[in-house]
Amino acid sequence: FMQFDLGMEHGRPTLTPLPAQHIDTGLGLNRMALIQQGTETIFETDDFKPLIELGEQLSGRRYGEGFEVDRALRVLADHTRAATFLVADGVVPSNEDRGYVLRRIMRRAIYRGRSLGIEPGVPMLARYADVVTELMGDFYPRVVQECDLVQRWLRAEEESFNRTLDQGTRLLEDLVARAKERGDEGIAADDAFRLHDTYGFPFDLTREMATERSLGVDEAGFSELMEQQRARARAASVDRSVQGGMELEGPPTEFTGYDSLEEVATVTALREDDRVVLKLDRSPFYAKGGGQISDSGVIACEDGDCRARVVDVMRAGDDQAVVVEVEEGALHQGERVVARVDRATRHATEANHTATHLLHAALRERLGTHVRQAGSYVGPDKLRFDFTHGASLSPDELRDVEDRVNEWVLRNDIVRPQQTSLDEARAKGAMALFGEKYGDVVRMVEVGDGSYSRELCGGTHVRSTAEIGLFKVTTETSSASNVRRIEALTGPGAVQYMRDRDRLLGEIAAAARTEPAQVTERIVALQAEAKKAAKSGGVTFDEEALAAHAAQVDGALVLAEAVDGIDAKALMDVADRLKGRLGDNAAIVLGSVVDARVHLVAAVTPALVARGVKAGEIVKVAAQVAGGGGGGRDTMAQAGGKDPEKLGEALAAARSAIEERLRT
């Protein structure tokens, strides 16, 4: 029963009667269609029936033939429809937040399709998306505009999860076989949890497959492990809405920091506990938000008898609170003060924020309009930009993006923030953050004529692009599944970075006893000498040729190969050298057969260990296939097996396990 408008005034809730009062019956479009068309459920209405019919066509099953078939067809229709809308709106599958919800929806649909007998080679989700676009395109044009984007993500996720299903099935078969050998009644909870958590294998499928083989699954134990995981996640999360009790009584602060870096103000509220938190009636300090960190600076009493250093500025709704460390005297409520923002820090932050907008524009221009912001950090030290994209950038792509940003910097285009209506900003094509709530009046930041960069943004920016000085990308990595991360520097920080690189090149050249221009040639010669020395020590294979077999997988180099005639100790040495050769993002699994026994070694760089690829786990996966076991550290592990004929399959299983961890 909708009767009041809930608002806030001075931190207290208010109830204002609505001009018109209503009753919400919950009778939405689909339920109204059900009544108008006289069907028993929404799945027989015009909106869903074509999707049900597509499921019948792909599976050869018929709607109405049984509960399980009907449920699977309904899940497929509903989930593929939802996934199409979500991707069109800018959500991409990942392991966090809304992306995780999308991934679960898509995977449940894929699983139900497989249970109906739809073959893995059929691009099932993409076929459903075509029908959704045909049905809803006239009413929801975004699914038409983003058709290519929808197809790309749905196909990629389906291909990835099909591999997960295949790999999980193999591992489950091994668990079933061992359980029967031991005479166990079912699959242990920790095994079922590992299949779910490490390999993304649905618990429902584990239970179903075990039942078909006359085994059970420890569901209670599995549920307990899941709850423990949720408890850890809850303990690690921070309720950002509370902001650590930053809210103070008193009238809201007027933010003047867009126009001024110094303000004479009055302390309107103050609290002292383990830190001093205060409010000003007028504040030039930017409160952290939108990825940009808060300003730093000082607050000094107007009469000169106190001084405090600003260490943080926190948002509290539309208000702000300033955290300070008092260095001299004492601050009191009602005190007249001078608030000064640190100019150098603010300008460096502004340069990085404007550069972030230019980077966003350059990525969309070079990679495609599917690129959308998925997170950011803007501070005086650097900028970090997360964006939706399914693969690492090639050196050419990264160079083109960097060159494009520097081209815009050199053009000295005006950066023009302006207040406008949300409708007008949308009409001009301004970029907005997905899920962000905007009022009727918004702040739009336009660069140049707005043809290449126009975004809704509350942050602070330079007056023209030339103030950025220089833009230099430092890293490009994976942030999450289907999310890439670029870190970059601008201005003096970028110049210092280039100087450090020049110095490092000079040191390398001196160590190699050559000139900087000949460093590459000298290193190649040294590698040839090392290779020759290794051969003379008894290792007779071509290490360089072996390294060339490494494949790029989501920003990493993955190598899983057999090496003839190398015992376990030599295999460890070879893996260690290959890890050094392949760089900081490498995962290596080597296998050999000596005296009818399988030897396996896994080596993983720390950067990939941080992404979930652990040598001990990988080598165990391979060893299980080869009829053995083993383990070790996260960065280096070894194992053995008694079935030499399974070496190829063992290495393939290890490769699949590495790829799955990198892509989830």
Side-chain angles (χ1 to χ4, degrees):
F1 295 86
M2 291 177 286
Q3 184 175 354
F4 298 103
D5 177 52
L6 175 64
M8 295 290 289
E9 186 173 331
H10 303 309
R12 299 172 183 240
T14 60
L15 292 174
T16 305
L18 293 169
Q21 298 171 6
H22 307 278
I23 298 174
D24 183 359
T25 66
L27 194 63
L29 173 65
N30 289 318
R31 289 175 179 170
M32 181 63 76
L34 179 150
I35 294 171
Q36 294 293 322
Q37 297 179 26
T39 63
E40 291 189 6
T41 74
I42 64 170
F43 294 100
E44 289 92 52
T45 62
D46 292 344
D47 267 357
F48 282 93
K49 190 174 181 181
L51 296 169
I52 296 292
E53 291 173 345
L54 175 61
E56 292 178 320
Q57 175 189 335
L58 294 176
S59 67
R61 310 300 292 269
R62 288 291 170 262
Y63 189 71
E65 71 176 73
F67 173 77
E68 290 296 336
V69 172
D70 288 0
R71 180 173 66 170
L73 289 171
R74 289 176 177 181
V75 167
L76 271 170
D78 176 78
H79 287 21
T80 53
R81 187 174 187 257
T84 301
F85 288 137
L86 284 168
V87 176
D89 269 341
V91 185
V92 299
S94 71
N95 290 333
E96 299 175 351
D97 302 323
R98 57 182 180 262
Y100 177 70
V101 175
L102 171 61
R103 170 162 281 170
R104 291 297 301 270
I105 288 172
M106 295 169 73
R107 290 189 165 190
R108 189 162 186 255
I110 296 165
Y111 167 52
R112 290 299 174 186
R114 292 284 291 270
S115 73
L116 284 172
I118 300 176
E119 293 297 325
V122 176
M124 178 179 62
L125 298 186
R127 293 281 297 275
Y128 272 94
D130 286 339
V131 176
V132 173
T133 302
E134 183 180 341
L135 285 170
M136 304 301 297
D138 290 342
F139 313 102
Y140 195 73
R142 198 166 183 83
V143 295
V144 179
Q145 298 163 5
E146 303 292 350
C147 177
D148 291 344
L149 174 68
V150 171
Q151 290 284 327
R152 178 185 307 162
W153 286 116
L154 264 57
R155 287 176 182 269
E157 187 67 16
E158 185 168 357
E159 290 172 3
S160 173
F161 189 54
N162 278 332
R163 288 192 295 270
T164 295
L165 286 174
D166 291 338
Q167 179 183 353
T169 299
R170 289 195 301 270
L171 293 172
L172 183 58
E173 292 287 4
D174 184 57
L175 290 172
V176 168
R178 282 192 283 160
K180 289 190 172 182
E181 284 179 8
R182 295 192 299 261
D184 295 342
E185 295 182 358
I187 305 299
D190 56 348
D191 287 330
F193 182 77
R194 183 169 60 89
L195 281 171
H196 163 81
D197 191 56
T198 304
Y199 299 99
F201 199 68
F203 177 74
D204 289 347
L205 188 53
T206 298
R207 180 175 53 195
E208 182 178 329
M209 291 181 63
T211 300
E212 290 173 355
R213 290 152 181 78
S214 302
L215 290 173
V217 182
D218 183 359
E219 293 191 41
F222 176 83
S223 297
E224 184 178 343
L225 290 171
M226 286 294 294
E227 182 54 38
Q228 290 174 9
Q229 185 186 62
R230 294 187 192 102
R232 289 192 296 270
R234 286 193 295 268
S237 66
V238 176
D239 184 3
R240 292 176 174 82
S241 65
V242 176
Q243 293 290 5
M246 296 307 302
E247 199 165 328
L248 295 174
E249 294 292 333
T253 299
E254 178 188 356
F255 174 60
T256 62
Y258 291 137
D259 304 312
S260 173
L261 297 184
E262 183 172 316
E263 194 70 59
V264 176
T266 300
V267 178
T268 58
L270 186 144
R271 185 179 70 239
E272 292 188 56
D273 36 47
D274 57 334
R275 54 186 175 176
V276 178
V277 183
L278 58 86
K279 282 183 65 176
L280 303 173
D281 62 340
R282 295 163 59 82
S283 169
F285 298 110
Y286 180 83
K288 64 182 175 185
Q292 180 175 330
I293 71 168
S294 61
D295 281 330
S296 59
V298 297
I299 295 176
C301 290
E302 196 174 31
D303 57 13
D305 65 352
C306 74
R307 175 187 171 90
R309 183 168 58 89
V310 174
V311 296
D312 205 353
V313 188
M314 307 290 289
R315 292 185 189 275
D318 293 329
D319 205 353
Q320 67 165 236
V322 184
V323 183
V324 300
E325 290 183 358
V326 178
E327 297 178 336
E328 180 183 338
L331 287 163
H332 304 285
Q333 187 167 339
E335 189 96 50
R336 292 284 288 175
V337 296
V338 178
R340 298 188 186 92
V341 174
D342 185 309
R343 291 176 180 272
T345 301
R346 164 71 83 86
H347 185 266
T349 302
E350 289 175 337
N352 281 333
H353 203 153
T354 305
T356 300
H357 284 213
L358 301 185
L359 173 60
H360 193 185
L363 287 165
R364 287 173 62 83
E365 180 180 273
R366 182 64 175 84
L367 304 179
T369 56
H370 66 279
V371 169
R372 286 184 173 86
Q373 181 175 339
S376 69
Y377 164 86
V378 178
D381 53 332
K382 66 178 180 180
L383 68 90
R384 182 178 68 233
F385 186 68
D386 294 352
F387 58 97
T388 55
H389 189 58
S392 59
L393 273 66
S394 69
D396 286 345
E397 289 172 333
L398 207 56
R399 185 196 63 241
D400 290 347
V401 166
E402 188 175 86
D403 287 350
R404 190 61 162 146
V405 172
N406 280 306
E407 178 185 330
W408 288 327
V409 169
L410 289 172
R411 277 170 37 173
N412 195 24
D413 283 338
I414 295 296
V415 180
R416 188 182 301 105
Q418 54 188 286
Q419 298 287 333
T420 185
S421 70
L422 181 59
D423 289 341
E424 182 180 352
R426 284 173 171 165
K428 289 184 176 181
M431 294 290 296
L433 285 177
F434 181 87
E436 188 77 10
K437 293 182 178 179
Y438 297 98
D440 293 333
V441 177
V442 295
R443 185 170 186 264
M444 182 175 69
V445 177
E446 188 176 80
V447 183
D449 61 3
S451 60
Y452 63 89
S453 179
R454 187 182 278 130
E455 298 193 25
L456 301 186
C457 178
T460 62
H461 290 268
V462 294
R463 292 163 298 179
S464 70
T465 59
E467 292 184 38
I468 294 171
L470 172 66
F471 174 81
K472 177 61 185 173
V473 173
T474 56
T475 62
E476 190 276 331
T477 58
S478 172
S479 168
S481 178
N482 296 323
V483 177
R484 306 300 302 175
R485 169 172 291 174
I486 283 179
E487 293 193 0
L489 301 171
T490 63
V495 172
Q496 186 60 49
Y497 177 83
M498 301 297 286
R499 285 175 175 165
D500 290 343
R501 285 299 179 97
D502 284 344
R503 176 185 53 76
L504 181 60
L505 177 59
E507 291 174 358
I508 293 171
R513 298 181 181 180
T514 187
E515 295 298 318
Q518 279 77 51
V519 162
T520 302
E521 181 180 338
R522 177 60 176 155
I523 290 175
V524 170
L526 290 171
Q527 288 175 330
E529 292 174 13
K531 177 181 171 183
K532 184 176 180 180
K535 284 184 177 180
S536 66
V539 180
T540 58
F541 66 91
D542 189 340
E543 189 173 296
E544 184 175 348
L546 185 62
H549 290 158
Q552 282 276 357
V553 179
D554 198 25
L557 285 172
V558 178
L559 178 66
E561 292 288 328
V563 181
D564 294 333
I566 302 294
D567 63 21
K569 184 179 183 305
L571 209 58
M572 292 280 280
D573 295 335
V574 172
D576 194 55
R577 290 201 302 274
L578 285 170
K579 187 164 66 169
R581 179 186 288 271
L582 294 178
D584 294 336
N585 288 279
I588 301 158
V589 182
L590 300 179
S592 67
V593 176
V594 177
D595 297 329
R597 181 165 179 80
V598 175
H599 298 285
L600 293 161
V601 166
V604 180
T605 58
L608 294 194
V609 171
R611 292 176 60 183
V613 183
K614 298 180 180 180
E617 295 177 0
I618 298 301
V619 84
K620 284 181 182 178
V621 171
Q624 288 175 3
V625 176
R633 304 189 310 276
D634 289 346
T635 55
M636 182 72 78
Q638 62 181 341
K642 57 187 178 182
D643 194 347
E645 294 181 358
K646 294 291 184 65
L647 176 58
E649 293 178 29
L651 293 170
R655 177 187 290 274
S656 296
I658 294 169
E659 292 176 351
E660 185 60 27
R661 284 161 173 77
L662 290 172
R663 288 171 173 151
T664 57

